[in-house]
Amino acid sequence: MKFPVQGRQKQELLQQLSATKQFDVPWSEGKVFAYVYDAGEEAMDLLEQAFTMYMTENGLDPTSFPSCMQLEKEVIGMAMDLVNASENGSGTFTSGGTESILLSLKTARDRARDLQPHITQPEIVLPVTAHAAFFKACQYFDLIPVTVEVDDNFRAIPEKMDAAITDNTILMVGSAPSYGHGAIDPIEDLGQIALKHNILFHVDCCVGGMYLPFAKSLGYDIPNFDMGVPGVTQLSMDFHKWGYAAKGASCILYNDADVRRYQIFSHANWTGYAVINPGVTSTKSGGPVAACWAILNYMGREGYERLVDASQAATIKLLKAVEGIDGLAVMGDPKANLIALKATDFNIFPLADEMKTRGWYIQPQFSFENSQENLHLSIGYHNVEQMDAFIADLTEMVAALRSAQHAEAKQQALDPQIKAMLENATPQDLGKISAMLGIDPSNPPERMEDINALLNGISADSREVLLGEFINQIYMPA
């Protein structure tokens, strides 16, 4: 597409934008179990108005836009209160969970450089269930991730985490919950290990920070997980998930403001203005923090407890229904609203495609370590009214697939020649592989079962190569 020579009319552009969305998943129908968090029409209207009101205000300079700073301080204060942070703590509003995690690990690295300069190869100890953002941060900041196996319920094993800590360890990670299976790591036990070794301990609460506190106050079986647990030094939590804020709203919190000091970037050694950034970005719209402030105050504890209670009830209904669906099982022991479903005697990837024909979106996950291939669901308030219909379609589709699939087809191994080619592929090979398989990277097929099966049959390292190049290609300008 070439840069336009002349401008176009507002209404024409809005119509085109609306038309462009036609192939997106139908999130407003409550049939999407990932990516979208909807607290209802009135809440959405509030978010839109608050975001627009602060869309142009720039949080880069708190002396020019003190309102943005004030809103951020109030949002961080509410978050710290919710997860029982120390009165000596502090935090930063960020654009998302990935930025929060990046900042936490950057802070740990810079603190170690100052206080432990003998550590030249800093290590991060984390369970294999930890979010990919931690590995992204390690790649960005030249840190060494030391991964540790988990138990059959996908929870970190304290003894193995303890054994993985060395003199080079600067930070340990636990999740509450981990995304893949909704497992809450034993945060209290891990906190004691962090205290024993005098290391920083990050609890990844990105997906749980605006859910678990309310589920716990409602009496659901939620173990202690937050900043009130001895040994926890920092915690990430997203507002734009179960806080139902507009996207671009997360935070990183510290129990000690002196630790947060290592997060700040300050630079005056150039010819322009002095740049001081608490987070990754410099310029940042006031829209996300204004919308976040508005929804937190609009909902309050009572409002969030209502949404969480409804979501928990819908999740429990689904868990009980799965017990009666032959061939389908829940993985692990999820305590909240994130679950993974596995097939016990059929190929599960076609189930995602079949459910999509009925308008449902559920997220395929590949096998890795002790986790077999599965389908992930994040169940929110927007899914509650649709749960009975979802269970009915799920039951029907599973029965149909099990009848149609032959047992030998489920067990059939990937062709050795194709597997060898995929395992040894370089980014430059994707075009040849796509042509051989009849796939156009710029126009992925409607049904993904064959591609998912191929990727599931090769190593995670090879998946990374192929998927990385796939994304590189599909984002080429038209």
Side-chain angles (χ1 to χ4, degrees):
M1 181 175 180
K2 299 297 184 181
F3 198 89
V5 176
Q6 295 179 324
R8 295 161 61 187
Q9 294 298 310
K10 168 186 170 182
Q11 194 57 38
E12 177 190 357
L13 295 170
L14 292 176
Q15 288 174 353
Q16 183 172 339
L17 284 173
S18 180
T20 302
K21 295 174 63 176
Q22 65 179 307
F23 298 112
D24 291 353
V25 292
W27 62 265
S28 61
E29 299 174 11
K31 302 180 79 169
V32 176
F33 290 89
Y35 305 131
V36 174
Y37 311 89
D38 179 5
E41 185 176 347
E42 188 170 332
M44 282 290 193
D45 183 62
L46 171 65
L47 292 175
E48 183 177 349
Q49 291 191 49
F51 193 107
T52 303
M53 187 182 297
Y54 273 80
M55 180 173 62
T56 306
E57 277 66 23
N58 193 338
L60 168 62
D61 185 356
T63 64
S64 297
F65 298 99
S67 62
C68 293
M69 178 180 65
Q70 182 62 31
L71 292 173
E72 176 168 343
K73 289 167 67 174
E74 292 186 16
V75 165
I76 293 299
M78 286 186 273
M80 292 176 64
D81 177 58
L82 187 62
V83 295
N84 298 306
S86 164
E87 292 182 358
N88 298 321
S90 187
T92 300
F93 186 86
T94 71
S95 62
T98 293
E99 183 183 357
S100 297
I101 289 167
L102 288 172
L103 289 172
S104 178
L105 269 64
K106 181 264 184 193
T107 298
R109 184 200 65 178
D110 289 0
R111 179 177 179 272
R113 284 177 175 176
D114 183 27
L115 303 181
Q116 300 165 290
H118 61 281
I119 297 179
T120 58
Q121 294 183 307
E123 297 174 351
I124 309 297
V125 171
L126 66 174
V128 295
T129 49
H131 195 277
F134 288 98
F135 297 88
K136 185 176 186 178
C138 287
Q139 185 180 110
Y140 279 14
F141 302 133
D142 201 20
L143 302 168
I144 300 172
V146 178
T147 55
V148 181
E149 64 183 283
V150 294
D151 65 20
D152 292 339
N153 285 322
F154 308 102
R155 292 190 293 255
I157 303 170
E159 296 78 12
K160 292 186 179 294
M161 295 285 283
D162 191 6
I165 294 171
T166 71
D167 291 340
N168 290 325
T169 304
I170 63 171
L171 180 137
M172 180 175 63
V173 174
S175 303
S178 56
Y179 181 84
H181 308 88
I184 300 175
D185 286 328
I187 302 303
E188 289 185 313
D189 292 339
L190 297 181
Q192 290 303 307
I193 293 170
L195 291 172
K196 169 186 168 184
H197 293 279
N198 192 28
I199 58 174
L200 298 177
F201 178 26
H202 178 122
V203 175
D204 178 16
C205 241
C206 285
V207 75
M210 289 297 299
Y211 194 97
L212 295 182
F214 306 112
K216 192 174 181 66
S217 66
L218 287 166
Y220 290 100
D221 181 20
I222 306 297
N224 293 330
F225 67 92
D226 62 16
M227 299 187 80
V229 174
V232 174
T233 56
Q234 50 234 76
L235 179 147
S236 53
M237 59 184 287
D238 289 355
F239 303 107
H240 60 212
K241 289 190 171 71
W242 308 120
Y244 297 94
K247 285 183 174 59
S250 177
C251 69
I252 176 66
L253 306 176
Y254 300 91
N255 262 331
D256 185 348
D258 286 340
V259 175
R260 203 272 294 262
R261 182 174 293 114
Y262 291 98
Q263 177 183 295
I264 310 299
F265 172 79
S266 181
H267 189 78
N269 282 277
W270 74 307
T271 54
Y273 64 95
V275 176
I276 304 95
N277 299 145
V280 171
T281 61
S282 287
T283 287
K284 54 182 182 179
S285 165
V289 70
C292 182
W293 178 91
I295 195 69
L296 296 181
N297 281 286
Y298 172 76
M299 297 297 301
R301 286 184 180 265
E302 291 182 355
Y304 282 116
E305 285 182 353
R306 175 175 56 85
L307 300 190
V308 167
D309 203 22
S311 301
Q312 282 289 96
T315 303
I316 292 169
K317 178 184 287 189
L318 177 58
L319 293 174
K320 290 181 177 178
V322 170
E323 292 177 1
I325 300 177
D326 290 339
L328 204 61
V330 176
M331 303 181 74
D333 180 28
K335 299 294 185 184
N337 62 330
L338 275 64
I339 66 173
L341 301 178
K342 67 178 180 179
T344 60
D345 60 0
F346 70 101
N347 174 16
I348 200 166
F349 288 131
L351 180 58
D353 290 323
E354 291 298 327
M355 292 296 286
K356 198 170 184 179
T357 66
R358 300 281 181 95
W360 305 103
Y361 178 81
I362 45 182
Q363 192 173 50
Q365 298 186 138
F366 300 122
S367 61
F368 184 74
E369 298 285 343
N370 65 335
S371 176
Q372 75 175 69
E373 62 274 13
N374 62 84
L375 299 179
H376 171 91
L377 293 91
S378 295
I379 301 162
Y381 181 69
H382 58 291
N383 305 124
V384 170
E385 296 299 321
Q386 292 280 13
M387 187 52 70
D388 288 338
F390 176 77
I391 291 171
D393 282 347
L394 183 69
T395 304
E396 179 184 339
M397 291 298 187
V398 170
L401 282 173
R402 292 178 74 232
S403 296
Q405 289 183 13
H406 298 293
E408 59 269 23
K410 174 189 179 286
Q411 301 297 331
Q412 186 176 7
L414 188 62
D415 181 275
Q417 288 185 319
I418 294 178
K419 181 173 182 177
M421 179 180 63
L422 295 175
E423 288 285 9
N424 298 311
T426 66
Q428 292 73 29
D429 293 329
L430 183 62
K432 178 177 64 176
I433 293 170
S434 299
M436 187 191 73
L437 298 175
I439 299 169
D440 178 4
S442 65
N443 186 26
E446 284 290 318
R447 297 184 68 90
M448 294 294 292
E449 60 185 85
D450 291 338
I451 295 175
N452 285 333
L454 285 173
L455 292 171
N456 194 61
I458 61 178
S459 67
D461 288 343
S462 297
R463 289 174 204 155
E464 290 175 358
V465 172
L466 293 171
L467 289 170
E469 181 56 24
F470 173 72
I471 293 297
N472 185 38
Q473 291 194 23
I474 66 171
Y475 273 92
M476 291 293 290

